[in-house]
Amino acid sequence: MTAIPLILLPLPLIFESRLLQLSDDQQLMIRTLPLLLTLVVVLLGLGLKHYRAVWLSLHLVLAGAMLQLLAAQSASNPAQYMTLLLASLIWPLLQWVILLLPDRHLLSRNGMRRLLLLAGPYASLLLLWHYAPLTLTEWLLALPPVLIEYTFSGLTLSHGALVWNLVWLTLCLGFMRSRPLDTLVTLTLSIAMLLSLAKPDLPLIGSLYQVLSQLILIGALVHHGYSMAFLDTLTGVPGRRALEHYLQTPGRQYVIAMLDIDHFKQFNDRYGHDTGDQVLRMVASQLNMVQAGGRLFRYGGEEFTVVFRRRSEAEALPALENIREKVASYPLAIRDAKRPKNNEKGRQKRGKDAQNKVVNVTISIGACENQPDETPTQVIKRADQALYMAKEQGRNCVRTGRERPRQKRRSRTDFARETA
């Protein structure tokens, strides 16, 4: 998803020559579009409780409004130059604050303080530009002539501001892995700021980058909403709602498998819920490697579902047997509750502690192929009955709906097996 915005970054520069050919109404539409997109981002962010996107959007529109206002003035105005220069120094600091501070509701006490922190510097810059042009002119004229000549020789951005913004862009790349979409918005805003400072005669380029940044934020919010609705937050796999959506058009032939972790409740009671979460994540990671085109979902609790489209039971059973063996043979290390937070100290303690446990978790599987005129709900019900059969026959096995009940066998892994 992050590759698409990266591909779009050069587009405003490619169409630079065509911007001057636009009519006044078209230019006005480009300048107004960021405000409309900001409203969309704010409404989506508040609805999805993704407040950092709201702060980024507000910061973006404030910076864009500042640039458009200043770019419309004469380039030889010393007050305009100083205000642009100060804006190029201030906005990275504000962006850094937004990225580092924890998410807070827009209407909370901390949110209102953050709003003042965001709008205050821009308001101060506008007051400085509007009420102190003569003072700024006198101050600039008092500088050494060489510096003044260098500054106004066609350059609208000093080397100091340029280096500062490049350093800021380098620091932002550190967020790329943990917050890729926030970083992309920062990069596009950085390009918009630098181009607006370097080319005040083409303010539409900055507006186009603001539009692109707002669209990236909207895409991030849509992705966030999808994750909230369809992805399980603990395991990262699609949840039950995604399963219901997937089974609306399952096809003519398909297999549904219900999978359950054996003795999961006793496991939680013995080792704790944190370890239980660790087990769920491990099992999900192993089940995600299912073959034969199987699609994994978390059905609820310790139950998972795998759907094989355009597959028969004969084709799906080897894949199910394979992942059952993978889970059973996976050595799961039980984390000590008193383990130090520091990773190095934790490794040293783990090496000295002889009481660390490694367990092997098992799963039971029930699978059924659909019959003519049978709904996915009915197939799930039969697969659940096959799963119950697998539980009754000793667990850690795969059973289908066509099999007859067998005599219950004694399981050698009636509980999670501990190894040294």
Side-chain angles (χ1 to χ4, degrees), residues 313 367-371 382 386 389 400-404:
E313 280 187 5
C368 284
E369 182 180 345
N370 70 305
Q371 301 296 326
R382 291 198 299 113
M389 185 191 305
T400 67
R402 297 181 180 180
E403 297 183 36
R404 295 181 178 181

Side-chain angles (χ1 to χ4, degrees), residues 33-43 45 50-65 95 98 118 122 182 185 189 210 213-218 221:
L33 192 56
L35 296 175
L36 299 177
L37 294 177
T38 299
L39 179 61
V40 175
V41 172
V42 171
L43 293 177
H50 196 301
Y51 304 116
R52 180 170 284 109
V54 176
W55 294 119
L56 288 171
S57 180
L58 293 176
H59 182 212
L60 177 63
V61 75
L62 287 174
Q95 190 84 0
I98 294 174
L118 188 62
Y122 291 112
D182 291 348
V185 174
L189 180 56
Q210 293 162 35
S213 298
Q214 299 287 3
L215 291 177
I216 293 173
L217 282 174
I218 292 175
L221 290 171

Side-chain angles (χ1 to χ4, degrees), residues 95-394:
Q95 190 84 0
W96 188 260
V97 170
I98 294 174
L99 291 176
L100 288 182
L101 289 181
D103 254 345
R104 289 293 182 269
H105 197 288
L106 184 66
L107 301 180
S108 65
R109 180 180 300 178
N110 289 330
M112 297 305 294
R113 291 174 180 172
R114 201 169 300 181
L115 183 60
L116 293 176
L117 176 64
L118 188 62
Y122 291 112
S124 301
L125 289 176
L126 287 176
L127 291 174
L128 178 66
W129 166 73
H130 186 72
Y131 289 105
L134 296 177
T135 304
L136 288 174
T137 303
E138 295 175 355
W139 182 78
L140 286 174
L141 292 176
L143 293 176
V146 177
L147 180 59
I148 297 177
E149 181 180 354
Y150 168 76
T151 304
F152 290 96
S153 61
L155 229 60
T156 58
L157 184 64
S158 69
H159 279 178
L162 177 61
V163 171
W164 167 246
N165 280 272
L166 292 177
V167 170
W168 160 245
L169 291 177
T170 305
L171 293 175
C172 284
L173 294 178
F175 287 93
M176 180 60 77
R177 179 172 296 181
S178 59
R179 299 174 187 170
L181 293 173
D182 291 348
T183 306
L184 283 173
V185 174
T186 300
L187 291 175
T188 51
L189 180 56
S190 302
I191 296 173
M193 176 68 72
L194 291 174
L195 290 176
S196 299
L197 292 170
K199 296 184 176 182
D201 56 325
L202 289 176
L204 289 181
I205 291 183
S207 297
L208 289 178
Y209 273 108
Q210 293 162 35
V211 170
L212 181 58
S213 298
Q214 299 287 3
L215 291 177
I216 293 173
L217 282 174
I218 292 175
L221 290 171
V222 171
H223 182 268
H224 178 70
Y226 171 83
S227 300
M228 291 177 61
F230 292 100
L231 295 183
D232 176 58
T233 56
L234 177 63
T235 60
V237 302
R240 188 165 181 173
R241 183 174 298 180
L243 172 64
E244 295 172 354
H245 185 268
Y246 189 71
L247 290 178
Q248 288 180 359
T249 55
R252 294 183 179 180
Q253 184 183 36
Y254 57 93
V255 176
I256 297 180
M258 300 296 294
L259 307 90
D260 185 88
I261 302 176
D262 297 330
H263 297 293
F264 185 72
K265 183 179 182 302
Q266 292 91 328
F267 197 96
N268 266 343
D269 294 340
R270 181 171 182 178
Y271 295 108
H273 290 284
D274 290 340
T275 302
D277 292 344
Q278 181 185 353
V279 171
L280 287 171
R281 286 190 289 267
M282 181 277 292
V283 171
S285 67
Q286 297 300 310
L287 298 182
N288 248 334
M289 295 185 289
V290 62
Q291 299 176 352
R295 183 78 177 269
L296 175 66
F297 302 88
R298 185 181 178 187
Y299 193 76
E302 68 272 24
E303 274 193 297
F304 294 86
T305 304
V306 177
V307 181
F308 299 87
R309 282 183 173 177
R310 298 181 295 276
R311 294 290 188 273
S312 63
E313 280 187 5
E315 294 171 312
L317 286 178
L320 293 172
E321 185 66 29
N322 180 262
I323 59 172
R324 182 198 63 78
E325 293 177 356
K326 283 185 177 180
V327 173
S329 60
Y330 188 90
L332 180 67
I334 302 299
R335 296 175 181 173
D336 189 356
K338 299 180 180 180
R339 184 178 184 271
K341 294 183 179 180
N342 183 275
N343 290 334
E344 184 63 29
K345 293 182 179 179
R347 284 191 290 268
Q348 294 175 0
K349 183 178 186 299
R350 185 167 61 244
K352 297 178 181 178
D353 193 355
Q355 296 181 353
N356 283 338
K357 295 182 177 63
V358 175
V359 301
N360 294 97
V361 181
T362 62
I363 60 174
S364 299
I365 305 175
C368 284
E369 182 180 345
N370 70 305
Q371 301 296 326
D373 300 326
E374 191 176 27
T375 66
T377 302
Q378 293 172 327
V379 180
I380 289 178
K381 186 176 181 179
R382 291 198 299 113
D384 211 38
Q385 293 172 350
L387 172 62
Y388 181 77
M389 185 191 305
K391 293 282 189 181
E392 285 292 309
Q393 295 178 4

